[in-house]
Amino acid sequence: MAYGAYGLVEVLGDANAVLVTDRMLKTADVEYVTKDTKCGGHVLIFMGGSISAVSAAVESVREDSPCKVFQSAVISNPSQEMVNIVEMFRNR
């Protein structure tokens, strides 16, 4: 599915990933896309939607996170290569 933006948030642990995902879904009209687990238990959560909705969702967990957020970003108008990378994570 094509999105106007991807929101990425990195946290430690699956439970924290669920809390952050829930917060973002409740904050704005975004969709959960996928997650990628990295060494050490870090989880990178991918959300998709319009640029404004994704920005609001990511900002909500930056400002008042239920856990420590290690990194976050909004990728607006993702390139086809970025879409392919996200789909690769989704298909793992």
Side-chain angles (χ1 to χ4, degrees), residues 1-3 6 75-88:
M1 174 176 233
Y3 295 103
Y6 286 124
I75 301 172
S76 60
N77 302 313
S79 66
Q80 185 57 50
E81 187 172 357
M82 185 72 236
V83 172
N84 294 343
I85 291 168
V86 173
E87 287 302 314
M88 178 189 66

Side-chain angles (χ1 to χ4, degrees), residues 11-22 35 41 43 45 66-67:
V11 298
L12 183 61
D14 285 332
N16 286 332
V18 170
L19 292 173
V20 166
T21 299
D22 181 62
K35 70 174 185 164
V43 180
I45 305 156
C67 62

Side-chain angles (χ1 to χ4, degrees), residues 4-73:
Y6 286 124
L8 292 74
V9 177
E10 180 183 357
V11 298
L12 183 61
D14 285 332
N16 286 332
V18 170
L19 292 173
V20 166
T21 299
D22 181 62
R23 170 78 56 88
M24 289 191 288
L25 289 169
K26 289 176 179 174
T27 299
D29 186 21
V30 294
E31 293 182 26
Y32 171 79
V33 177
T34 191
K35 70 174 185 164
D36 185 50
T37 304
K38 302 182 336 185
C39 294
H42 286 249
V43 180
L44 184 59
I45 305 156
F46 292 81
M47 304 298 277
S50 69
I51 296 170
S52 60
V54 168
S55 296
V58 170
E59 190 62 28
S60 75
V61 294
R62 273 192 211 147
E63 291 179 353
D64 185 29
S65 180
C67 62
K68 181 176 180 181
V69 172
F70 289 89
Q71 297 288 330
S72 63

